[in-house]
Structures are given as structure tokens and as C-alpha cells.
Amino acid sequence: MAKRRKISKRRRNLFIIFGVYVLAMLYLLLFMRTGRSFPGTYGEYISSAVNLIPFKTIVEYASEAAGEKSLTGWAMKNLSGNILLFVPLGFFLPTLWKKQRKFKNFTLTVCLSIAAVEAVQFFTMLGRFDIDDLIFNLAGAAIGFGIWKMKPVINLLRKYKLL
């Protein structure tokens, strides 16, 4: 029988914080959207709720704001939110799981997770399946991973026995 490694109190607390982060993200990405309904048929919803063309949403935002000096508040909030909300994921995954310290494994995990959320949003009619969301969510997670890879961050995590 394999010996179980004792987990430190700090590491256990980090798992708890990660769990809270995941629950908050699920709430923001899925449950906060309940009560919204599409006024048409399911077929009409399907044709309007899928974007598989990279950067199409960004181009639409930019064309709407063409006469203005910046993107509208909602568009900017959506874009920055899609990036910033996933930065912590880029920190948590490699800190908590050794296999996630390889960028290839990390990227695959993040892409599959985001695609799963996008699919749930789509099939439950709580949102769109938008490739741009996947791109910007992945960019946010990659930024977090890049921060995690910085030598001072790694040294700090080792100092506090989180790695």
C-alpha cells in the first residue's frame, strides 16, 4: 500500500482557497446567469450563441466603438474580466499539482476546463460558446503561469513550503 504524504497546514489552506476560487468562478460563469432566457426557439439560440471565429467578438466590440476613443464600458469589462479572472488559475494549478508545472499539461488542463464551462453555458442556454472567451481566459491563465514561473515567486513558495 502506498504511503500517504502528510500535507502541510499552509498547503491545505491553499487547497481550501483554490476551492473557494473554483466555486466563485462557477458562480460567476454559470449560476449568476440564471433567470436570463433566450426569447426564440432552441434552433435560433444555437445559431446565435456559437462563435468559432477567433477575435470575431473583439472586432464587433471595436466596430461598435469606432466613433469613440475607447471600447464601451461593458466591452472593456468583459474583455478584462475574461483575462483577469483566470490569472489565479495560472498560479494555483502549478502550485498544487506537480504535473501542471509543465506548460503543455497546464495548457491542456486549462483549455479543457474552459471548453467545458463554455459548453455548459451553451447547452443550458446561460451564455454563448465563444472561442474568444477561451482565448482570453487561456491568456489570463498563461499570465498567472508566467508570474508563477518567476524565480522570486518560486523561492517564496519554497520558503513557505507550498511546493
Side-chain angles (χ1 to χ4, degrees):
M1 190 185 286
K3 214 179 195 186
R4 289 185 81 186
R5 188 175 75 137
K6 187 178 179 203
I7 188 167
S8 74
K9 198 179 228 181
R10 286 187 177 129
R11 200 159 162 73
R12 185 182 68 232
N13 289 341
L14 193 60
F15 271 106
I16 292 168
I17 294 167
F18 176 67
V20 170
Y21 168 75
V22 168
L23 291 174
M25 291 295 285
L26 288 173
Y27 176 76
L28 287 170
L29 298 171
L30 299 174
F31 303 114
M32 195 169 96
R33 299 170 180 250
T34 59
R36 296 182 190 174
S37 62
F38 185 78
T41 67
Y42 195 69
E44 292 169 333
Y45 170 76
I46 289 172
S47 65
S48 69
V50 176
N51 171 34
L52 298 176
I53 302 167
F55 305 108
K56 179 182 177 187
T57 305
I58 307 308
V59 171
E60 288 173 0
Y61 289 161
S63 65
E64 287 174 11
E68 302 172 26
K69 291 184 180 181
S70 66
L71 292 174
T72 62
W74 181 86
M76 204 57 198
K77 192 166 105 174
N78 187 23
L79 294 174
S80 59
N82 274 330
I83 294 171
L84 294 176
L85 286 173
F86 283 82
V87 170
L89 191 63
F91 176 82
F92 282 121
L93 290 179
T95 302
L96 295 172
W97 291 281
K98 206 172 201 174
K99 288 184 178 183
Q100 296 300 314
R101 295 174 189 167
K102 291 184 179 173
F103 192 69
K104 182 177 84 172
N105 294 345
F106 169 81
T107 303
L108 181 63
T109 301
V110 172
C111 282
L112 290 174
S113 300
I114 295 167
V117 169
E118 291 290 315
V120 169
Q121 285 180 342
F122 173 72
F123 288 116
T124 59
M125 296 176 70
L126 294 173
R128 300 178 52 177
F129 188 99
D130 193 338
I131 193 73
D132 290 346
D133 287 348
L134 191 139
I135 292 167
F136 286 101
N137 296 164
L138 179 59
I143 290 168
F145 187 88
I147 292 168
W148 179 87
K149 288 287 271 188
M150 294 175 157
K151 190 121 178 107
V153 175
I154 296 286
N155 290 339
L156 193 63
L157 291 170
R158 284 187 179 130
K159 177 182 176 183
Y160 288 103
K161 296 179 175 52
L162 291 169
L163 289 181

